[in-house]
Amino acid sequence: MKVGLFIPCYIDQFYPQVAVATLQLLEKLGVDVDYPLQQTCCGQPMANSGFSHYTQGCDSLFVKNFTGYDYIVAPSGSCVLHIKDHLHDDKNQAAADQIRSRIYELCEFLTDVLQVKELQASFPHKVGFHVSCHGQRGLHLSQMSELNAEDFSKPGYLLGLVKDIELVQLNRKDECCGFGGTFCVSEEAVSVKMGKDRVQDHLEHGAEYITGGDVSCLMHMEGILKRQKSGVKVLHIAEILNGQL
């Protein structure tokens, strides 16, 4: 199995430790991982802002970089969903379609493809898990609470394999944090209030750490925590599953 590792630009620029943790975790699980050096942004920010016609170069480069792998894996639900739903290349649409069917968010790759049953990781802390909207409603990584359906959570299952971790139960387990990409710029006041509410739910339940599958959401909440001078920290789920602080 040959896997192409896709690292979104904001992880590359601001949270490189998440990329390292993802690589280390996959290699610990016996995966042959390759990192295409010419990869850039997937084009999601432009597309989400209504400028999808500006993503053609991103699409073509993505297809060029990730054609030929058995799977493509990324530690970002929102970027994976963008590729799955929107990757297009006029010159090589067959390759683009193949990539769209083979790209996985990290947690779903671990549960659905590798079918991980155990992890060599310990994290003796109280942790709140933030469910990101793209991962839940787009990739179906966990059940939506408004549905009368059986509850499940692929990230929650994986965190349950971590020794000594204590997952806190939130009042509103799948509420949006308010980041929303450019939404946090165009609707700053609303975004901040949503983020404060999301953080407060974790604080009220004694979380020492907030984790999740999208660094963008975690970055938003981390900024609020720092402005509140809180001691609560954020970690991407890859860092916890990899067994590191």
Side-chain angles (χ1 to χ4, degrees):
M1 179 191 300
K2 189 72 172 181
V3 166
L5 179 60
F6 165 41
I7 298 300
C9 46
Y10 56 86
I11 293 179
D12 176 62
Q13 294 296 313
F14 301 117
Y15 296 88
Q17 70 273 17
V18 175
V20 173
T22 301
L23 173 63
Q24 291 177 343
L25 176 60
L26 290 171
E27 290 183 336
K28 285 178 183 178
L29 295 171
V31 179
D32 184 9
V33 183
D34 185 41
Y35 177 77
L37 294 177
Q38 302 305 313
Q39 61 181 281
T40 61
C41 178
C42 66
Q44 182 192 178
M46 293 86 82
N48 286 354
S49 298
F51 297 96
S52 59
H53 55 289
Y54 288 149
T55 68
Q56 295 174 1
C58 296
D59 287 349
S60 297
L61 183 60
F62 198 95
V63 171
K64 179 180 178 181
N65 282 323
F66 289 99
T67 294
Y69 291 106
D70 297 312
Y71 298 97
I72 300 97
V73 177
S76 167
S78 63
C79 294
V80 167
L81 182 63
H82 172 73
I83 293 297
K84 288 183 76 72
D85 284 354
H86 301 293
L87 185 66
H88 179 77
D89 187 352
D90 286 333
K91 296 181 179 179
N92 200 352
Q93 189 57 37
D97 290 341
Q98 192 171 59
I99 289 172
R100 289 170 63 174
S101 68
R102 293 183 178 182
I103 190 166
Y104 282 79
E105 184 272 341
L106 176 64
C107 290
E108 66 173 343
F109 181 74
L110 299 183
T111 58
D112 296 7
V113 179
L114 296 186
Q115 299 183 9
V116 170
K117 297 294 189 295
E118 60 180 5
L119 291 168
Q120 299 302 316
S122 176
F123 198 76
H125 300 281
K126 296 182 70 174
V127 177
F129 181 74
H130 172 68
V131 180
S132 296
C133 301
H134 284 86
Q136 182 180 50
R137 302 177 187 280
L139 297 176
H140 308 294
L141 300 182
S142 58
Q143 186 61 272
M144 294 173 278
S145 61
E146 68 267 23
L147 296 182
N148 184 21
E150 183 179 356
D151 189 44
F152 73 91
S153 172
K154 295 176 183 180
Y157 164 77
L158 292 170
L159 288 170
L161 299 178
V162 177
K163 299 178 181 64
D164 305 316
I165 194 170
E166 181 181 349
L167 293 175
V168 303
Q169 298 301 313
L170 304 175
N171 292 332
R172 304 176 305 280
K173 66 178 183 178
D174 57 2
E175 184 173 85
C176 178
C177 71
F179 175 69
T182 55
F183 176 81
C184 71
V185 178
S186 61
E187 299 290 347
E188 178 185 357
V190 178
S191 174
V192 170
K193 183 59 170 70
M194 292 174 70
K196 287 182 176 179
D197 288 347
R198 184 78 303 229
V199 164
Q200 186 60 33
D201 199 357
H202 288 82
L203 297 180
E204 289 177 355
H205 291 86
E208 301 171 73
Y209 288 84
I210 299 175
T211 192
D214 274 273
V215 167
S216 52
C217 300
L218 296 176
M219 178 174 63
H220 180 57
M221 291 185 287
E222 183 179 44
I224 292 169
L225 289 166
K226 286 183 176 180
R227 284 170 175 78
Q228 294 178 344
K229 302 188 184 305
S230 171
V232 174
K233 300 177 181 179
V234 302
L235 282 177
H236 189 277
I237 190 171
E239 298 176 90
I240 294 179
L241 300 182
N242 191 42
Q244 65 187 84
L245 282 172

